Amino acid sequence: MLRRSLLFLPGNNPGMLQTASILGADGVILDLEDAVSLTEKDSARILVREAIKNMDFSEVELFIRINPMDGIYGEEDIRTVAPLKPDTLLIAKADEESLIKASSLLDSIEEEYSMEKGSIKLMALIETAYGVENVYSIIKSSDRVNGVLFGAEDYTADLGIKRTKVGEEIFYARNKIATACRALKISSIDTPFTDTEDYQGLKQDTLNGKRLGMTGKAAINPRQIESIHEVFAPSQDEINYALRVLNAVEKAEKEGKGVFALDGKMVDAPIIARARNTAELAKTLGLI
């Protein structure tokens, strides 16, 4: 399952919901939280419910961002959309308590509607200082959690600091989230880049997250998807090197060699694993 790009779409915009599955993102997030004003929460919830009922989302992974579980809307969001079995619910302001509460509610809904237990997954939206510091335990609080999305705007607001394009202020948070997710073998999705006209800045910001271990990036505009995919695709040089490593491994195994060198450098298990991952991704993307 590719999660290079997750595209936010406002849940109260019928036109955008109609095009959700053809915009090119690996996943779409129908948003019931930040994109929807307080006066439109109920109507957006119903609109998203009807969209899931009547539209084909089979070509994308379908996420619904629900409102915080400690407020008046989160539980109703889940009760409305969960019976239609979206792939994943994105839990805003996630902490251990909110994920446990959401998971328990899904248990009862899945039983009521004769769904397979655990079929609806959760993604934790980490966007507070508490969330960053406790990301590992938050992920572990429910076995439904299959990913984390980092929200840098709310995180920096919580810290009382300025969000910049350079992103030095979120280096720690990105790396901690990516490390926790890698340890638990789940996706780590980087924060959106909010300047929808700065494509060079988007590429650099995406690369910054990737270098720290992020496995994908959220987008707020369909025009950002191509740049994100470009960063998360292996380059031709990376593909060529990976194939050379794998060919050398095959040759060494035939010759009974446990250790070998390529281009004067020793090839060990981490290099071989990285080469296999690169080749596998390239095949998935149709690059080889």
Side-chain angles (χ1 to χ4, degrees), residues 14-280:
M16 294 195 76
L17 294 181
Q18 287 178 342
T19 61
S21 62
I22 61 171
L23 295 173
D26 294 328
V28 293
I29 303 171
L30 308 187
D31 191 5
L32 296 175
E33 195 215 5
D34 280 353
V36 180
S37 67
L38 292 177
T39 59
E40 296 183 339
K41 294 291 186 184
D42 293 336
S43 59
R45 187 185 303 119
I46 294 169
L47 182 59
V48 165
R49 181 191 66 192
E50 295 306 307
I52 302 172
K53 278 185 180 180
N54 297 295
M55 293 171 55
D56 181 11
F57 290 97
S58 60
E59 297 301 311
V60 294
E61 187 175 4
L62 178 60
F63 296 76
I64 312 295
R65 174 159 74 167
I66 69 163
N67 287 280
M69 292 301 294
D70 60 355
I72 62 174
Y73 301 109
E75 184 172 333
E76 187 59 31
D77 289 343
I78 293 180
R79 292 191 182 279
T80 300
V81 301
L84 299 171
K85 201 177 177 180
D87 296 307
T88 303
L89 299 182
L90 178 62
I91 307 299
K93 301 292 191 298
D95 57 17
E96 297 90 342
E97 183 179 356
S98 63
L99 290 180
I100 291 170
K101 185 176 180 180
S103 186
S104 177
L105 182 55
L106 288 174
D107 285 343
S108 63
I109 291 172
E110 287 170 344
E111 182 176 0
E112 179 181 353
Y113 288 87
S114 300
M115 300 179 192
E116 180 183 353
K117 185 175 181 179
S119 57
I120 301 174
K121 303 303 181 182
L122 297 174
M123 178 173 278
L125 179 51
I126 298 297
E127 48 189 341
T128 64
Y130 177 90
V132 169
E133 281 304 294
N134 295 278
V135 61
Y136 187 90
S137 65
I138 290 171
I139 296 168
K140 292 284 286 182
S141 64
S142 170
D143 57 10
R144 292 179 184 269
V145 178
N146 66 8
V148 169
L149 194 156
F150 174 43
E153 299 300 324
D154 284 281
Y155 169 70
T156 51
D158 192 30
L159 287 183
I161 59 176
K162 184 178 180 181
R163 175 80 171 96
T164 69
K165 283 188 177 183
V166 175
E168 291 179 348
E169 69 283 355
I170 59 173
F171 176 97
Y172 169 76
R174 276 172 157 165
N175 194 227
K176 181 155 188 174
I177 290 170
T179 300
C181 289
R182 182 67 67 178
L184 295 170
K185 296 180 173 56
I186 64 172
S187 303
S188 54
I189 309 301
D190 197 19
T191 187
F193 186 76
T194 57
D195 188 340
T196 58
E197 301 298 325
D198 183 1
Y199 296 105
Q200 188 57 43
L202 169 64
K203 285 186 177 181
Q204 185 59 54
D205 192 59
T206 307
L207 184 59
N208 290 344
K210 180 183 177 182
R211 285 172 173 166
L212 292 173
M214 291 290 182
T215 59
K217 190 168 184 66
I220 57 173
N221 189 296
R223 296 194 303 270
Q224 296 179 317
I225 295 168
E226 183 178 354
S227 296
I228 292 171
H229 286 185
E230 182 180 331
V231 172
F232 280 102
S235 68
Q236 192 59 53
D237 286 345
E238 289 171 332
I239 294 170
N240 291 341
Y241 180 72
L243 295 178
R244 290 181 62 224
V245 168
L246 296 180
N247 287 335
V249 169
E250 185 177 352
K251 181 179 178 181
E253 288 176 346
K254 288 179 179 179
E255 295 175 354
K257 296 179 180 178
V259 179
F260 65 93
L262 183 65
D263 300 334
K265 296 181 180 179
M266 192 66 65
V267 176
D268 55 9
I271 292 175
I272 295 171
R274 190 177 301 117
R276 286 177 175 149
N277 290 337
T278 298
E280 183 178 342

